[in-house]
Amino acid sequence: MKQLLLFCAVLFLHFYSCQLKIDSTVILYSKNSLIYSSMSNSCYGNGDYSKKYQAQNMLFVSGISECINYSSKKDIISFYFDGKKYYMADEAEQKNAFFVNGYRKQLSDLKNKFKNFTPSELDSIDGWSRRLSEAYMRQLRKEASDKVFSKEKNGIAILAAHPIEEYSFTGAKFKILNFSRKTIKYITFNFYGKNAVNDRVGKNVSRKGIGPVESSATGSWLFENVWLTDIVESMKLISANIIYMDGTTRVITITDNHWLDEEDLDHLDRLLE
């Protein structure tokens, strides 16, 4: 409910008008992986089959209808995501959950509701659902971007730094995101290993990664035989020494704030596709 009111503000609509539309807005959460850009009269989907959304994303329903062909009867749901219209068939596996004004609704009730709308009202709902989906996507992109770029002031974000198991020995893997406007030429990682009870294994270790890593790009490195033992279970990344292509340098002390979940970066990439 609060999210929909926020979208109204984004769309610069009068509150009373917006409230009326909220009461008739159907939100769909779906785990259905088969969606289509169009649906034929014989109830078969056409076009793009790939799923565009995550199960936790809000989809804005623009219509629910019954489609009958020579062999079956299907409930077809039309909805908007990121301003684009898609279709799916409701499935018996309970992959779809519908909400109106914060309350869960049954598909049968919503089918009757859409049957009673006039063509003019259906056109209005269609346009409203499209605009809501666009506003919602802007919000998703902003939230995802803010989460990733909150690390920008650190120069780099650490996406991965962990031991790699080898036969009798242990290697190390690193992956970073370069927030600097400069291209990284070399990066030296300074770290030490820890065993299963979180005690240090040996002395500090350094390994040098070769670029280039362009601005806003990721770089990854795998170093073999870092520890001549197989007891290293985790590592502590202490700092990173960076040499840029223009010859300037930077030493970054790694803190918890430098770490970025790679899934957050992948999530932003998906939203920007």
Side-chain angles (χ1 to χ4, degrees):
M1 177 67 170
K2 290 180 179 178
Q3 285 181 302
L4 291 181
L5 291 176
L6 174 62
F7 297 151
C8 287
V10 172
L11 295 170
F12 303 101
L13 296 174
H14 188 275
F15 175 82
Y16 181 68
S17 168
C18 185
Q19 183 67 52
L20 290 177
K21 285 188 168 62
I22 286 174
D23 290 338
S24 61
T25 298
V26 179
I27 304 299
L28 167 63
Y29 294 95
S30 180
K31 297 180 181 178
N32 195 334
S33 60
L34 292 177
I35 64 173
Y36 310 96
S37 54
S38 65
M39 190 69 66
S40 70
N41 292 332
S42 55
C43 312
Y44 292 104
N46 300 309
D48 191 355
Y49 293 80
S50 60
K51 180 178 174 181
K52 306 295 182 183
Y53 54 85
Q54 303 298 305
Q56 70 273 18
N57 290 151
M58 296 167 62
L59 311 177
F60 296 87
V61 176
S62 58
I64 300 175
S65 59
E66 197 172 79
C67 187
I68 302 174
N69 62 18
Y70 63 92
S71 62
S72 64
K73 179 171 65 175
K74 299 178 181 179
D75 291 319
I76 303 300
I77 305 161
S78 61
F79 65 93
Y80 281 93
F81 183 68
D82 193 16
K84 300 179 181 66
K85 194 171 189 176
Y86 300 100
Y87 299 83
M88 71 168 66
D90 190 66
E91 299 182 7
E93 291 87 351
Q94 301 297 318
K95 291 184 177 180
N96 296 326
F98 301 91
F99 293 84
V100 176
N101 212 358
Y103 296 95
R104 187 159 185 173
K105 299 294 182 179
Q106 297 299 314
L107 178 63
S108 56
D109 296 332
L110 296 175
K111 282 173 60 179
N112 292 331
K113 183 176 183 177
F114 273 93
K115 283 180 181 178
N116 293 327
F117 286 134
T118 66
S120 177
E121 287 172 329
L122 288 173
D123 285 343
S124 177
I125 290 171
D126 189 89
W128 173 247
S129 297
R130 176 180 56 79
R131 293 193 296 274
L132 278 177
S133 75
E134 291 170 340
Y136 177 60
M137 179 55 70
R138 287 195 293 271
Q139 179 179 322
L140 287 182
R141 286 172 176 153
K142 183 180 184 305
E143 290 174 351
S145 179
D146 288 348
K147 193 167 188 178
V148 170
F149 284 93
S150 66
K151 313 292 183 181
E152 184 175 17
K153 63 182 180 295
N154 299 326
I156 61 172
I158 306 299
L159 299 173
H162 56 81
I164 298 295
E165 184 178 353
E166 301 171 350
Y167 180 73
S168 297
F169 299 149
T170 308
K173 180 180 179 179
F174 298 90
K175 186 172 184 178
I176 67 159
L177 172 60
N178 179 20
F179 279 116
S180 172
R181 295 181 181 179
K182 302 177 181 181
T183 298
I184 293 174
K185 185 176 184 180
Y186 297 108
I187 180 168
T188 299
F189 300 100
N190 305 300
F191 55 100
Y192 61 84
K194 295 191 288 184
N195 62 21
V197 294
N198 218 31
D199 285 338
R200 176 193 286 262
V201 177
K203 299 179 180 180
N204 289 356
V205 183
S206 295
R207 288 294 185 274
K208 187 174 185 178
I210 301 174
V213 183
E214 304 287 343
S215 176
S216 300
T218 61
S220 59
W221 300 267
L222 178 62
F223 302 104
E224 298 180 345
N225 302 336
V226 175
W227 296 279
L228 304 183
T229 176
D230 60 359
I231 67 170
V232 177
E233 298 288 336
S234 62
M235 71 165 69
K236 171 66 175 179
L237 180 56
I238 303 168
S239 62
N241 298 21
I242 299 174
I243 300 176
Y244 296 100
M245 292 294 285
D246 64 1
T248 59
T249 63
R250 182 175 181 180
V251 178
I252 299 176
T253 300
I254 304 301
T255 67
D256 290 344
N257 196 44
H258 285 83
W259 288 83
L260 175 65
D261 191 331
E262 191 165 6
E263 175 55 34
D264 291 331
L265 183 59
D266 292 342
H267 178 54
L268 178 59
D269 287 341
R270 286 193 298 267
L271 292 176
L272 295 176
E273 286 179 351

